[in-house]
Amino acid sequence: MKDYMVKATAANGYIRAFAATTKDLVEEAKDDHNTSPVATAALGRMLTAAVMMGSMMKGEKDLLTLKIEGDGPLGGVIATANNHGEVKGYPFNPTVLIPANAKGKLDVAEAIGVGLMSVIMDTGMKEPYVGQVALLSGEIAEDLTYYYATSEQTPSSVGLGVLLNKDNTIKASGGFIIQLMPGCPDEVIDKLEEKINGLSPVTTMLSEGMSPNDILKHILGDMDLEFTESLDLSFKCNCNKDRIEKALISVGEKELKEMIDEGKPIEVKCHFCNKAYEFKVNELEDMLKKSTSK
């Protein structure tokens, strides 16, 4: 099954829903960053959440960034997505190793620790919108549910999951976001809560062959479910040498001079995809000229 997501409405528009399968893009991210199992689980959940949230943005160039920062050994995770199904991201400490939790599962909460979740929406205005909440659990799905309830006053249910094979390849990855619109009748809310409470984990449903469409049918199939859009998903970074050059120029003349004085080429890696760019001494000298001529 290729990576894709679906959008839908139900209960006469009182519910909006999103579901995604992200196995391939999480596999690519894992390979790019050489992540440990627990870092893969955290990054995969964040990429899945961000790509669904990014699809909610209206403008062609709008960007959504989901960031978690904690005091655990992972440090944090960042994921950025647009509304075209493209997402990128990275963990702060990709090689972190910690014991499994009491249930024998990858302990994402312990890896993240106590901290903050930030949602940054860049719509081209002078300043982006930033919403921030303290982490409830570090499990990411629960923290997003809390974020939507407190920062956006939108009652939501978020499910996220990444399941690894024994060789650390991705067996299943995906998630859903289900949201209640203002004025939703109590009987609809009660029915939805009953459905959500009886759900199997996302990765169980995906591993059993269920598609994103199937997951939403399972939850909302008897509530006038209507699919509105399907979107292909991919892990895609927009880095290039020109962007990295601009970043290097921004570090300042003093730092550029120090690099030049070393007399060796430098290698700069993109945080988001780990691609390496080499700059020779003469290129650094050209950058210094650009910096001093500003």
Side-chain angles (χ1 to χ4, degrees), residues 195-209:
K195 285 277 190 177
I196 296 293
N197 289 336
L199 275 187
S200 300
V202 173
T203 50
T204 300
M205 291 189 279
L206 290 169
S207 297
E208 290 172 351

Side-chain angles (χ1 to χ4, degrees), residues 133-182:
V133 292
L135 294 175
L136 267 189
S137 69
E139 291 287 350
I140 303 175
E142 293 169 23
D143 301 303
L144 268 173
T145 298
Y146 179 59
Y147 161 79
Y148 275 121
T150 55
S151 286
E152 298 195 11
Q153 287 76 53
T154 305
S156 306
S157 177
V158 182
L160 301 167
V162 177
L163 183 64
L164 275 65
N165 293 307
K166 288 183 179 178
D167 63 357
N168 287 335
T169 55
I170 309 300
K171 184 173 183 180
S173 177
F176 63 80
I177 299 175
I178 296 174
Q179 300 185 317
L180 299 178
M181 298 295 99

Side-chain angles (χ1 to χ4, degrees), residues 8 10 27 32 36 58 66 69 113 131 148 155 158 171 186 193 195 232 242 251 288 290:
E27 186 80 61
D32 282 352
S36 67
K58 303 297 183 191
L66 182 61
E69 296 172 284
Y148 275 121
V158 182
K171 184 173 183 180
D186 288 343
E193 283 181 348
K195 285 277 190 177
D232 289 339
D242 286 344
V251 303
L288 182 60
K290 290 178 187 176

Side-chain angles (χ1 to χ4, degrees), residues 3-7 51 55 83-85 229-233:
D3 287 352
Y4 79 101
M5 67 168 288
V6 286
K7 301 180 183 182
V51 81
S55 77
N83 68 358
H84 309 298
E229 187 180 351
S230 180
L231 191 63
D232 289 339
L233 306 179

Side-chain angles (χ1 to χ4, degrees), residues 45-116:
R45 293 180 196 180
M46 288 284 281
L47 291 170
T48 301
V51 81
M52 289 190 288
M53 295 168 75
S55 77
M56 302 177 197
M57 304 288 279
K58 303 297 183 191
E60 285 289 303
K61 295 183 179 179
D62 290 357
L63 285 176
L64 180 134
T65 298
L66 182 61
K67 179 166 71 170
I68 277 183
E69 296 172 284
D71 64 1
L74 183 63
V77 187
I78 290 179
T80 296
N82 57 27
N83 68 358
H84 309 298
E86 297 168 346
V87 66
K88 60 184 180 179
Y90 64 93
F92 294 4
N93 179 7
T95 57
V96 62
L97 292 169
I98 60 170
N101 63 20
K103 296 179 180 177
K105 306 285 187 182
L106 293 169
D107 202 342
V108 172
E110 184 68 22
I112 291 170
V114 177
L116 295 171

